[in-house]
Amino acid sequence: MSRKVFSLPARCGRLGPLLLALALGACGHEEEGAAPAAPQVEKDSIRFAADSPQLQVLRSAAAEAVTASQVQVPARLAWDDTRTSYLRAPMAGQVAQLVAAPGQAVRAGQTLAWITSPEFGQLQAEGARGQAELRQAQHELTRVRELHEAGIASGRELDEAEATFAASRAEHARSSTLARALGNGGRIDQRLPLRSPVDGVLVERNISPGMSVSAESERPLAVVSDPGHLWLLLDLPEHLAAQVHAGLQVAIDDGAGQALHVPLQHVADYVDSETRVVHARAEVDNAARRFKAGQYLRATLSLPLAQGVAVPVAGVLLIDNRQVVFVDEGKGRYRRQPVVGEDIGGGRAWVREGLQAGQRVVVDGGLLLQQLLDQPQAAPHGSAQASP
């Protein structure tokens, strides 16, 4: 959880209206002819008279026991890589024909488009030439073997014929296997098919007839995936790395105003060196097609907390590099109390030391109380001055 910087200057803007209210209250009492009693300051405590105008600007809230904090992190939806194929051109060429349209269900091996590729035509030609050379090498090996058995051809000539046949067979296997893998390898027509290797839906198509394509293009020509299953990718702040683990529940808005809860399936074991975040992943059932790949969301993680209480974040002040709260003890008495707290989001701070559930904390007017503690106090007759 990110630590909240409870800075005094950030709340100084509230002091103006408070002092104005106090001044107006004082003027009202002067008009009535009865000045309110000055607040009594004793070390870290302040006591106000029942008719003190300062009480009108002080507001407190009760500390609540909490067991978990809700932390929001940025997230985005993406295709499930285990069900997705990003198709690129294996060779340079030009799109000749589009066969499948976006949104169409396709089967593994189905042709999505045809590409005219001279490089593929050369590969087809090499396959045909290799087949002819293989037949010739086989005939030559048969002839030399017969001559060797008749005592006419030497052993060296037989070895050379066997080596030539083995080389021709290997080259033919290489070119024919590659041609078959790319498709349409039995003919020499330069037509290279772009085929889907998986079952799914053609969810993206980035080609048009006549478009030039190459193997170096970073953007896929087409994407086949299962839109019924998406990945939820989260970017976790570095300081949350030790608290987030696989199996932790994460909530997102399902688009209908309801929270969809899914478990984290994977949390990376490293921190991204550039963004300083930890990548995490969950799987989202998108059978109803409410979500779209590439959609950005706010995901909420429910992180368990150890012993502590939650208070409004405005109640925790940073004074002289110490976190403090002002506890409302009732009957106009307020006490400054050191605490250890962290921001847990939603306008709340988690105080793990210094407070108990049910205690009331000043959330409006804390700076006024701090100012009264900082000011030298006039000593009453017959007594010592209260220390600030």
Side-chain angles (χ1 to χ4, degrees), residues 2-70:
S2 59
R3 288 202 173 268
K4 179 71 175 181
V5 180
F6 303 100
S7 60
L8 182 61
R11 295 187 173 86
C12 286
R14 300 182 182 178
L15 207 53
L18 296 178
L19 295 179
L20 177 59
L22 296 178
L24 293 176
C27 291
H29 280 278
E30 290 176 359
E31 292 176 357
E32 296 174 3
Q40 299 178 9
V41 179
E42 300 176 0
K43 197 175 180 180
D44 288 331
S45 298
I46 304 173
R47 181 186 294 275
F48 295 98
D51 60 347
S52 175
Q54 286 95 331
L55 295 176
Q56 301 176 16
V57 295
L58 297 176
R59 186 174 65 87
S60 60
E64 301 175 350
V66 293
T67 58
S69 67
Q70 306 298 316

Coordinates of all heavy atoms in Angstrom, one line a residue, residues 2-70:
S2 N 0.5 2.2 -0.8 CA 1.3 3.4 -0.9 C 1.2 4.2 0.4 O 0.1 4.4 0.9 CB 0.8 4.3 -2.1 OG -0.5 4.6 -1.9
R3 N 2.3 4.7 0.9 CA 2.3 5.6 2.1 C 1.8 6.9 1.7 O 2.2 7.5 0.8 CB 3.7 5.7 2.7 CG 4.1 4.3 3.3 CD 5.2 4.6 4.3 NE 5.5 3.4 5.1 CZ 4.9 3.1 6.2 NH1 4.0 3.8 6.7 NH2 5.2 1.9 6.8
K4 N 0.9 7.4 2.6 CA 0.3 8.7 2.4 C 1.2 9.8 2.9 O 1.7 9.7 4.0 CB -1.1 8.8 3.1 CG -1.7 10.2 2.9 CD -2.2 10.4 1.5 CE -3.0 11.7 1.4 NZ -3.5 11.9 0.1
V5 N 1.5 10.8 2.2 CA 2.3 11.9 2.6 C 1.3 12.9 3.3 O 0.7 13.7 2.6 CB 3.1 12.6 1.5 CG1 3.9 13.7 2.0 CG2 4.0 11.6 0.8
F6 N 1.2 12.9 4.6 CA 0.3 13.7 5.3 C 1.0 15.0 5.6 O 1.6 15.2 6.6 CB -0.1 13.1 6.6 CG -0.8 11.7 6.5 CD1 0.0 10.6 6.7 CD2 -2.1 11.6 6.0 CE1 -0.6 9.3 6.5 CE2 -2.7 10.4 5.9 CZ -1.9 9.3 6.1
S7 N 1.0 16.0 4.6 CA 1.8 17.2 4.7 C 0.9 18.3 5.3 O -0.2 18.5 5.0 CB 2.3 17.6 3.4 OG 1.2 17.8 2.5
L8 N 1.5 19.1 6.2 CA 0.9 20.2 6.8 C 0.5 21.3 5.8 O -0.6 21.7 5.8 CB 1.8 20.8 7.9 CG 1.2 22.0 8.7 CD1 0.0 21.5 9.5 CD2 2.2 22.5 9.7
P9 N 1.4 21.7 4.9 CA 1.0 22.7 3.9 C -0.2 22.3 3.1 O -1.0 23.1 2.7 CB 2.2 22.9 3.0 CG 3.3 22.4 3.9 CD 2.8 21.3 4.7
A10 N -0.4 21.0 2.8 CA -1.6 20.6 2.0 C -2.9 20.9 2.6 O -3.9 21.0 1.9 CB -1.5 19.1 1.7
R11 N -3.0 21.1 3.9 CA -4.2 21.4 4.6 C -4.3 22.8 5.1 O -5.2 23.2 5.8 CB -4.4 20.4 5.7 CG -4.6 19.0 5.2 CD -5.0 18.1 6.4 NE -5.3 16.7 5.8 CZ -4.4 15.8 5.6 NH1 -3.1 16.0 5.9 NH2 -4.8 14.6 5.2
C12 N -3.3 23.6 4.9 CA -3.3 25.0 5.4 C -4.4 25.8 4.8 O -4.8 26.8 5.4 CB -1.9 25.6 5.2 SG -0.6 25.0 6.3
G13 N -4.8 25.4 3.6 CA -5.9 26.2 3.0 C -7.2 26.2 3.8 O -8.0 27.1 3.6
R14 N -7.3 25.2 4.6 CA -8.6 25.2 5.4 C -8.5 26.2 6.6 O -9.6 26.4 7.2 CB -8.8 23.8 6.0 CG -8.9 22.7 4.9 CD -9.1 21.4 5.6 NE -9.2 20.3 4.6 CZ -9.4 19.0 4.9 NH1 -9.5 18.7 6.2 NH2 -9.5 18.1 4.0
L15 N -7.3 26.6 6.9 CA -7.2 27.4 8.1 C -7.9 28.7 8.0 O -8.4 29.3 9.0 CB -5.7 27.6 8.4 CG -5.4 27.8 9.9 CD1 -5.9 26.7 10.8 CD2 -3.9 28.0 10.1
G16 N -7.9 29.3 6.8 CA -8.6 30.6 6.6 C -10.0 30.6 7.0 O -10.5 31.5 7.8
P17 N -10.9 29.7 6.4 CA -12.3 29.7 6.8 C -12.5 29.4 8.3 O -13.4 30.0 8.9 CB -12.8 28.6 5.9 CG -11.9 28.5 4.8 CD -10.6 28.8 5.3
L18 N -11.6 28.6 8.9 CA -11.7 28.3 10.3 C -11.5 29.6 11.1 O -12.3 29.9 12.0 CB -10.8 27.2 10.7 CG -10.9 25.9 10.1 CD1 -9.9 24.9 10.5 CD2 -12.3 25.3 10.3
L19 N -10.4 30.3 10.8 CA -10.1 31.5 11.6 C -11.2 32.5 11.4 O -11.6 33.3 12.3 CB -8.8 32.1 11.2 CG -7.6 31.2 11.5 CD1 -6.3 31.8 11.0 CD2 -7.5 30.9 13.0
L20 N -11.8 32.6 10.1 CA -12.9 33.5 9.9 C -14.1 33.2 10.7 O -14.7 34.1 11.3 CB -13.2 33.5 8.4 CG -14.4 34.4 8.0 CD1 -14.1 35.9 8.3 CD2 -14.7 34.3 6.5
A21 N -14.4 31.9 10.8 CA -15.5 31.5 11.7 C -15.3 31.8 13.1 O -16.2 32.3 13.8 CB -15.8 30.0 11.5
L22 N -14.0 31.6 13.6 CA -13.7 32.0 14.9 C -13.8 33.5 15.2 O -14.3 33.9 16.2 CB -12.3 31.5 15.3 CG -12.1 30.0 15.2 CD1 -10.6 29.7 15.6 CD2 -13.0 29.3 16.2
A23 N -13.4 34.3 14.2 CA -13.5 35.7 14.4 C -14.9 36.2 14.4 O -15.3 37.0 15.2 CB -12.8 36.4 13.2
L24 N -15.8 35.6 13.6 CA -17.2 36.0 13.6 C -17.8 35.5 14.9 O -18.7 36.3 15.5 CB -17.9 35.3 12.4 CG -17.5 35.8 11.0 CD1 -18.2 35.0 9.9 CD2 -17.8 37.3 10.9
G25 N -17.4 34.4 15.4 CA -18.0 33.9 16.7 C -17.6 34.8 17.8 O -18.3 35.2 18.7
A26 N -16.3 35.3 17.7 CA -15.8 36.2 18.8 C -16.6 37.5 18.7 O -16.9 38.1 19.8 CB -14.3 36.4 18.6
C27 N -16.8 38.0 17.5 CA -17.5 39.3 17.4 C -18.9 39.2 17.9 O -19.4 40.1 18.6 CB -17.6 39.7 15.9 SG -16.0 40.2 15.2
G28 N -19.5 38.0 17.7 CA -20.9 37.8 18.2 C -20.9 37.9 19.7 O -21.8 38.4 20.3
H29 N -19.9 37.3 20.4 CA -19.8 37.3 21.8 C -19.6 38.7 22.3 O -20.1 39.1 23.4 CB -18.8 36.3 22.3 CG -19.2 34.9 22.3 ND1 -20.0 34.3 23.3 CD2 -19.0 33.9 21.4 CE1 -20.2 33.1 23.1 NE2 -19.7 32.8 21.9
E30 N -18.8 39.5 21.6 CA -18.5 40.8 22.1 C -19.7 41.7 22.0 O -20.0 42.5 22.9 CB -17.4 41.5 21.2 CG -16.0 40.8 21.4 CD -15.0 41.4 20.5 OE1 -15.3 42.2 19.6 OE2 -13.8 41.0 20.6
E31 N -20.6 41.4 20.9 CA -21.8 42.2 20.8 C -22.7 41.8 22.0 O -23.5 42.7 22.5 CB -22.5 41.9 19.5 CG -21.7 42.4 18.3 CD -22.3 42.1 17.0 OE1 -23.4 41.3 17.0 OE2 -21.8 42.5 15.9
E32 N -22.7 40.6 22.4 CA -23.6 40.2 23.5 C -23.0 40.6 24.9 O -23.6 40.5 25.9 CB -23.8 38.6 23.5 CG -24.5 38.2 22.2 CD -24.5 36.7 22.1 OE1 -24.0 36.0 23.1 OE2 -25.0 36.1 21.2
G33 N -21.7 41.0 24.8 CA -21.1 41.5 26.1 C -20.5 40.4 26.9 O -20.1 40.7 28.1
A34 N -20.3 39.1 26.4 CA -19.8 38.0 27.2 C -18.7 37.3 26.4 O -19.0 36.7 25.4 CB -20.8 37.0 27.6
A35 N -17.4 37.5 26.7 CA -16.3 36.9 26.0 C -16.2 35.5 26.4 O -16.3 35.2 27.6 CB -15.0 37.7 26.3
P36 N -16.0 34.5 25.5 CA -15.9 33.1 25.8 C -14.5 32.9 26.6 O -13.6 33.6 26.3 CB -15.9 32.4 24.5 CG -15.4 33.4 23.5 CD -15.9 34.7 24.0
A37 N -14.5 31.9 27.4 CA -13.3 31.5 28.1 C -12.3 31.0 27.1 O -12.6 30.3 26.1 CB -13.6 30.5 29.2
A38 N -11.0 31.3 27.4 CA -9.9 30.9 26.5 C -9.7 29.4 26.7 O -10.0 28.8 27.8 CB -8.6 31.6 26.8
P39 N -9.3 28.7 25.6 CA -9.1 27.2 25.7 C -7.9 27.0 26.7 O -6.9 27.7 26.7 CB -8.8 26.8 24.3 CG -8.3 28.0 23.6 CD -9.1 29.1 24.2
Q40 N -8.0 25.9 27.4 CA -6.9 25.5 28.3 C -6.0 24.5 27.6 O -6.5 23.4 27.2 CB -7.6 24.8 29.6 CG -8.4 25.8 30.4 CD -9.1 25.1 31.6 OE1 -8.7 24.0 31.9 NE2 -10.0 25.8 32.2
V41 N -4.8 24.8 27.6 CA -3.8 23.9 26.9 C -2.9 23.3 28.0 O -2.3 24.0 28.8 CB -2.9 24.8 25.9 CG1 -1.9 23.9 25.2 CG2 -3.9 25.4 24.9
E42 N -2.8 22.0 28.0 CA -1.9 21.3 28.9 C -1.1 20.2 28.1 O -1.6 19.2 27.7 CB -2.7 20.6 29.9 CG -3.5 21.5 30.8 CD -4.4 20.8 31.8 OE1 -4.3 19.5 31.8 OE2 -5.1 21.4 32.6
K43 N 0.1 20.6 27.8 CA 1.0 19.7 27.0 C 0.4 19.3 25.7 O 0.3 20.2 24.8 CB 1.4 18.5 27.8 CG 2.6 17.7 27.2 CD 3.0 16.6 28.1 CE 4.2 15.9 27.5 NZ 4.7 14.7 28.4
D44 N -0.1 18.1 25.5 CA -0.7 17.7 24.2 C -2.2 17.7 24.2 O -2.9 17.1 23.3 CB -0.3 16.2 23.9 CG 1.2 16.2 23.4 OD1 1.7 17.2 22.9 OD2 1.8 15.2 23.7
S45 N -2.8 18.4 25.3 CA -4.3 18.4 25.4 C -4.8 19.8 25.4 O -4.1 20.7 25.8 CB -4.7 17.7 26.7 OG -4.4 16.3 26.7
I46 N -6.0 19.9 24.8 CA -6.7 21.2 24.8 C -8.2 21.0 25.3 O -8.8 20.0 24.8 CB -6.8 21.8 23.3 CG1 -5.3 21.9 22.8 CG2 -7.5 23.1 23.3 CD1 -5.3 22.3 21.3
R47 N -8.6 21.9 26.1 CA -10.0 21.8 26.6 C -10.7 23.1 26.3 O -10.2 24.2 26.6 CB -10.0 21.5 28.1 CG -11.5 21.4 28.7 CD -11.5 21.3 30.2 NE -10.9 20.0 30.6 CZ -11.5 18.9 30.7 NH1 -12.8 18.8 30.4 NH2 -10.9 17.8 31.1
F48 N -11.8 23.1 25.7 CA -12.6 24.3 25.3 C -13.8 24.4 26.3 O -14.4 23.4 26.7 CB -13.1 24.2 23.9 CG -12.1 24.2 22.8 CD1 -11.6 23.0 22.3 CD2 -11.5 25.4 22.4 CE1 -10.6 23.0 21.3 CE2 -10.5 25.4 21.5 CZ -10.0 24.2 20.9
A49 N -14.2 25.6 26.5 CA -15.4 25.8 27.3 C -16.6 25.4 26.4 O -16.5 25.4 25.2 CB -15.5 27.3 27.7
A50 N -17.7 25.2 27.1 CA -18.9 24.7 26.4 C -19.4 25.7 25.4 O -20.0 25.3 24.4 CB -20.0 24.3 27.4
D51 N -19.2 27.0 25.7 CA -19.7 28.0 24.7 C -18.6 28.5 23.8 O -18.8 29.6 23.2 CB -20.3 29.2 25.5 CG -19.2 29.9 26.5 OD1 -18.1 29.2 26.7 OD2 -19.5 31.0 27.0
S52 N -17.5 27.8 23.7 CA -16.4 28.2 22.8 C -16.7 28.2 21.4 O -17.3 27.2 20.9 CB -15.1 27.4 23.1 OG -14.1 27.7 22.2
P53 N -16.5 29.3 20.6 CA -16.8 29.2 19.2 C -16.0 28.3 18.4 O -16.3 27.8 17.3 CB -16.6 30.7 18.7 CG -15.6 31.2 19.7 CD -15.9 30.6 21.0
Q54 N -14.8 27.9 18.9 CA -13.9 26.9 18.2 C -14.6 25.6 18.0 O -14.4 24.9 17.0 CB -12.6 26.7 19.0 CG -11.6 27.9 18.9 CD -11.8 28.8 20.0 OE1 -12.8 28.9 20.6 NE2 -10.7 29.5 20.4
L55 N -15.5 25.2 18.9 CA -16.2 23.9 18.8 C -17.1 23.8 17.6 O -17.4 22.7 17.1 CB -17.0 23.7 20.1 CG -16.3 23.5 21.4 CD1 -17.2 23.4 22.6 CD2 -15.3 22.3 21.3
Q56 N -17.5 25.0 17.0 CA -18.3 25.0 15.9 C -17.6 24.5 14.6 O -18.3 24.2 13.6 CB -18.9 26.4 15.7 CG -19.7 26.9 16.9 CD -20.2 28.4 16.6 OE1 -20.2 28.8 15.5 NE2 -20.6 29.0 17.7
V57 N -16.3 24.6 14.6 CA -15.6 24.3 13.4 C -14.8 23.0 13.5 O -14.1 22.6 12.6 CB -14.6 25.4 13.0 CG1 -15.4 26.6 12.6 CG2 -13.6 25.7 14.1
L58 N -15.0 22.3 14.7 CA -14.3 21.0 14.9 C -15.3 19.9 14.6 O -16.4 19.8 15.1 CB -13.8 20.9 16.3 CG -12.7 21.9 16.7 CD1 -12.3 21.8 18.2 CD2 -11.4 21.8 15.8
R59 N -14.8 18.9 13.8 CA -15.7 17.8 13.4 C -14.8 16.5 13.6 O -13.7 16.5 13.1 CB -16.2 17.9 12.0 CG -17.2 16.8 11.6 CD -17.8 17.1 10.2 NE -16.8 17.0 9.2 CZ -16.4 15.9 8.6 NH1 -17.0 14.7 8.9 NH2 -15.5 15.9 7.6
S60 N -15.4 15.5 14.2 CA -14.7 14.3 14.4 C -15.4 13.1 13.8 O -16.6 13.1 13.6 CB -14.4 14.1 15.9 OG -15.6 14.0 16.6
A61 N -14.7 12.0 13.6 CA -15.3 10.7 13.1 C -14.7 9.6 13.9 O -13.5 9.6 14.4 CB -15.0 10.6 11.6
A62 N -15.4 8.5 14.0 CA -15.0 7.3 14.8 C -14.0 6.5 14.0 O -14.2 6.3 12.8 CB -16.2 6.5 15.2
A63 N -13.0 5.9 14.6 CA -12.1 5.0 14.0 C -12.8 3.6 13.9 O -13.5 3.2 14.8 CB -10.8 4.8 14.8
E64 N -12.7 3.0 12.8 CA -13.3 1.7 12.5 C -12.4 0.5 12.4 O -11.3 0.7 11.8 CB -14.2 1.8 11.2 CG -15.2 2.9 11.2 CD -15.9 3.0 9.9 OE1 -15.5 2.4 8.9 OE2 -16.9 3.8 9.8
A65 N -12.7 -0.6 12.9 CA -11.9 -1.8 12.8 C -12.0 -2.3 11.3 O -13.1 -2.3 10.8 CB -12.4 -2.9 13.7
V66 N -10.8 -2.6 10.7 CA -10.8 -3.1 9.3 C -10.0 -4.3 9.3 O -9.1 -4.5 10.0 CB -10.2 -2.0 8.4 CG1 -11.2 -0.8 8.3 CG2 -8.9 -1.5 8.9
T67 N -10.3 -5.2 8.3 CA -9.6 -6.4 8.1 C -8.9 -6.4 6.7 O -8.1 -7.3 6.4 CB -10.5 -7.6 8.2 OG1 -11.6 -7.5 7.3 CG2 -11.0 -7.7 9.7
A68 N -9.4 -5.5 5.8 CA -8.8 -5.5 4.5 C -8.9 -4.1 3.9 O -9.7 -3.3 4.3 CB -9.6 -6.5 3.5
S69 N -8.0 -3.8 3.0 CA -8.0 -2.5 2.3 C -8.3 -2.7 0.8 O -8.0 -3.7 0.3 CB -6.7 -1.8 2.5 OG -5.7 -2.5 1.8
Q70 N -9.0 -1.8 0.2 CA -9.3 -1.8 -1.2 C -8.4 -0.9 -1.9 O -8.4 0.3 -1.7 CB -10.8 -1.4 -1.4 CG -11.8 -2.1 -0.6 CD -11.8 -3.6 -0.9 OE1 -11.8 -4.0 -2.0 NE2 -11.9 -4.4 0.2

